Amino acid sequence: MRLIEHFDKAAERWPERAFLVDAAGSRTYREVQLQSHRIAAALRRDGLARGARVAIYSANSAAAFECVIGALRAGAVWVPVSTRNHLDDTVHTLVETGTELLFYGPDVAPQVDTLASRCPGLRQRVALDEHFERWLPTQATFDEDEPGTPDELATLFSSGGTTGRPKGVMMSSAGWEAMIAGTLALQPHPHPIHLVAAPMTHAAGGSALAMLPLGATHVLLPGFDALQVMQAIETYRVTHLFLPPTAIYKLLAHPDVRAHDFSSLRYLNYASAPMAPERVREACEVFGPVMTTAFGQTETGLNVTAFTPTDHAEVVASGDLTRLASCGRAGPFFRVAIMDEQGRLLPHGERGEVVVRGASVMKGYLNNAEETARVSAHGWHHTGDIGQLDAQGWLFLVDRLRDVIVSGGFNVFPSEVERVLLSHPAVQDCAVVGVPDALWGEAVKAVVELKPGCGFDEAALRTLCRERLASHQVPKSFEAWAQLPRSPVGKLLKRTVREHFWDGQARRV
């Protein structure tokens, strides 16, 4: 089916159930369905053909998500654009995708004129303000949707962009249907209350689309604030929540975290970056048996692997936390393997690149056949991550291929060092990178962000690393930064940290 049909099935079954909730109020499935027909009619009236690119440039809001549903109904392709991106990256996304129409929120209105001047293909802008109703047709009717096929493009999310310019990831309705199937299999619930606190332009928005057949109610916060998230969980009896580890660390560090009621939670999904096992155990203690994680990428969709709340509870009860470093076993609609540089699949226990097969793997990168072919070599999607599988099929990620530090002839995987540093009670987050060194070629350096009120104790960090790491893995130097650079979705930008130390160097390795 087309992605919009999954929404319509939910609207048919639960017409009076709340679909979207934000500071402006609550909107039922029936109300959003009617509004989406008005938006689709306006897009057709203004000459947008099937397959036209429609971007939504706004903080999380019900009005913005209604435009997603309306664009999908019109057969347009949703191009998510984060308001936290640098303007140059937003221009790049709009130009590369050939975006024709931009819905924008009042929070970014001052930048829109500049965007329009730099994006010649952008022929229409529609503000999500008091003028929006004037743009819509006055007569709201349930027009017959134009026919389409599941193979048609539905979304053009951008790849993470942490190692270079973002690439447009082409995902069809069929790919989304596979993600929906995985969500139904792994996170069933009679009425999910889904808190969208992370940007809807990334995994939180993808999770919302994957919940369409469940009749989920989506509570949208404009952004992440630890206290507001905890209050929203209590107020709305939230059952489902996605957050990157950095946000969960902020929740755990909040002085009032144990004063709130989290008993409604069923799935607190942490992803987008590794989470230290000690912090996972702490989260299980604070939030209950609700922690769940999965490996996935923009290019593969959700739930390539699954580490369920039941799995977490069993591991914590066993007292052996080593498995909490895993991101689970292959999901119900995926195969996961480890491959060497020659394209040979490796046995359990050996390290190599993580490769996957599954129905939700992207159609390819937009206008980039060469890169599409590279990541599809040997009949598998190449993730760019180094990992290993144990004998029971649990996947352990070691690092990104491009993040490996070569120091004195030894390979050092930063994530292994970071996992140790994150176990220190004073460390909120950290980035381990290679820096130029005349003797070692690259030296291992740790940059830490401390929890509020904690002091920087380099000697204690060094001692901890010496106790738990091989000598070549121990950082040669440590620094404390007030705040580490992050992407709009909360991922650490190691490239930015690394470039700080390599600026002005003739070589980069």
Side-chain angles (χ1 to χ4, degrees):
M1 298 193 304
R2 292 173 58 214
L3 187 52
I4 189 63
E5 293 179 87
H6 291 282
F7 169 78
D8 285 337
K9 286 186 68 176
E12 179 181 3
R13 186 172 181 182
W14 301 286
E16 302 308 318
R17 179 179 286 183
F19 176 53
L20 300 173
V21 179
D22 66 3
S26 176
R27 312 181 194 197
T28 68
Y29 269 84
R30 176 73 174 181
E31 289 169 336
V32 174
Q33 188 180 45
L34 189 59
Q35 184 78 331
S36 72
H37 276 278
R38 296 177 71 198
I39 293 168
L43 293 174
R44 293 167 186 149
R45 177 201 64 204
D46 293 351
L48 264 78
R50 289 193 68 81
R53 278 49 162 163
V54 172
I56 295 156
Y57 187 41
S58 169
N60 292 349
S61 73
F65 206 83
E66 283 180 331
C67 291
V68 174
I69 302 299
L72 293 173
R73 186 172 303 286
V77 178
W78 175 29
V79 179
V81 183
S82 174
T83 59
R84 302 181 189 180
N85 281 352
H86 189 280
L87 194 66
D88 289 345
D89 287 333
T90 300
V91 169
H92 173 81
T93 295
L94 297 180
V95 170
E96 287 298 307
T97 58
T99 294
E100 297 181 46
L101 184 142
L102 179 73
F103 291 109
Y104 65 94
D107 48 323
V108 292
Q111 289 104 52
V112 172
D113 284 342
T114 302
L115 281 178
S117 69
R118 296 177 60 185
C119 302
L122 187 62
R123 59 186 184 87
Q124 191 171 3
R125 294 167 278 163
V126 179
L128 300 178
D129 56 16
E130 65 275 10
H131 303 294
F132 186 63
E133 278 292 318
R134 300 179 195 172
W135 175 77
L136 292 171
T138 54
Q139 194 69 21
T141 59
F142 276 62
D143 296 323
E144 186 71 25
D145 290 336
E146 294 183 15
T149 70
D151 290 330
E152 283 184 339
L153 205 57
T155 60
L156 266 171
F157 278 67
S158 292
S159 63
T162 57
T163 56
R165 281 289 195 183
K167 297 178 285 293
V169 175
M170 298 189 291
M171 192 67 70
S172 67
S173 283
W176 278 104
E177 193 162 64
M179 283 187 264
I180 286 170
T183 300
L184 289 171
L186 294 168
Q187 297 189 10
H189 196 277
H191 180 193
I193 309 295
H194 176 218
L195 183 61
V196 183
M200 60 178 262
T201 51
H202 293 74
S207 296
L209 290 180
M211 290 184 194
L212 288 178
L214 291 170
T217 295
H218 305 285
V219 180
L220 296 107
L221 299 181
F224 175 82
D225 175 87
L227 182 59
Q228 288 179 5
V229 166
M230 293 187 292
Q231 291 172 338
I233 293 171
E234 284 187 313
T235 301
Y236 298 103
R237 305 303 294 162
V238 168
T239 62
H240 291 60
L241 171 61
F242 163 82
L243 289 173
T246 51
I248 296 176
Y249 295 162
K250 290 178 181 178
L251 288 178
L252 294 173
H254 196 281
D256 297 332
V257 67
R258 295 177 186 270
H260 289 269
D261 178 10
F262 302 120
S263 62
S264 63
L265 278 176
R266 293 296 177 268
Y267 302 96
L268 202 173
N269 186 6
Y270 62 98
S272 299
M275 189 166 170
E278 289 83 358
R279 300 291 180 85
V280 178
R281 181 205 53 76
E282 182 184 358
C284 290
E285 178 188 340
V286 171
F287 301 112
V290 301
M291 302 305 292
T292 180
T293 191
F295 172 64
Q297 297 181 319
T298 308
E299 293 89 339
T300 64
L302 308 169
N303 301 316
V304 171
T305 65
F307 198 157
T308 68
T310 300
D311 293 331
H312 278 80
E314 290 176 353
V315 171
V316 171
S318 74
D320 180 6
L321 301 187
T322 56
R323 183 151 284 169
L324 292 182
S326 169
C327 53
R329 292 178 281 199
F333 304 105
F334 284 96
R335 283 194 65 200
V336 177
I338 307 298
M339 185 176 285
D340 68 12
E341 294 178 355
Q342 287 72 45
R344 295 177 299 219
L345 297 182
L346 298 175
H348 292 149
E350 292 198 24
R351 292 179 173 182
E353 185 176 10
V354 180
V355 293
V356 304
R357 284 177 175 164
S360 67
V361 172
M362 66 173 181
K363 292 169 69 73
Y365 292 119
L366 181 69
N367 301 326
N368 197 335
E370 181 179 351
E371 188 66 8
T372 299
R374 187 190 69 79
V375 301
S376 305
H378 310 295
W380 293 78
H381 173 76
H382 292 247
T383 65
D385 287 301
I386 299 170
Q388 65 187 63
L389 291 165
D390 71 11
Q392 288 76 44
W394 291 86
L395 176 64
F396 292 79
L397 297 181
V398 178
D399 231 309
R400 294 288 296 172
L401 276 172
R402 295 171 179 166
D403 286 345
V404 176
I405 301 167
V406 182
S407 182
F410 290 95
N411 286 343
V412 177
F413 298 101
S415 66
E416 295 180 330
V417 185
E418 289 161 357
R419 196 170 292 126
V420 170
L421 291 169
L422 286 169
S423 70
H424 192 281
V427 176
Q428 174 84 340
D429 217 337
C430 64
V432 172
V433 297
V435 298
D437 185 273
L439 176 62
W440 301 100
E442 283 186 288
V444 181
K445 186 176 190 72
V447 182
V448 300
E449 179 180 324
L450 300 171
K451 292 179 181 177
C454 293
F456 177 52
D457 188 342
E458 180 176 349
L461 294 176
R462 190 182 303 279
T463 298
L464 177 67
C465 290
R466 283 175 174 165
E467 290 173 350
R468 296 176 55 181
L469 295 168
S471 59
H472 65 275
Q473 294 176 298
V474 175
K476 297 290 190 292
S477 59
F478 297 78
E479 281 188 21
W481 289 8
Q483 189 169 24
L484 290 165
R486 295 182 177 89
S487 73
V489 76
K491 287 185 179 180
L492 277 177
L493 294 175
K494 287 189 187 178
R495 173 171 50 90
T496 303
V497 177
R498 188 176 189 272
E499 286 176 354
H500 171 80
F501 299 104
W502 288 85
D503 186 41
Q505 296 289 321
R507 63 180 180 85
R508 292 284 167 160
V509 293

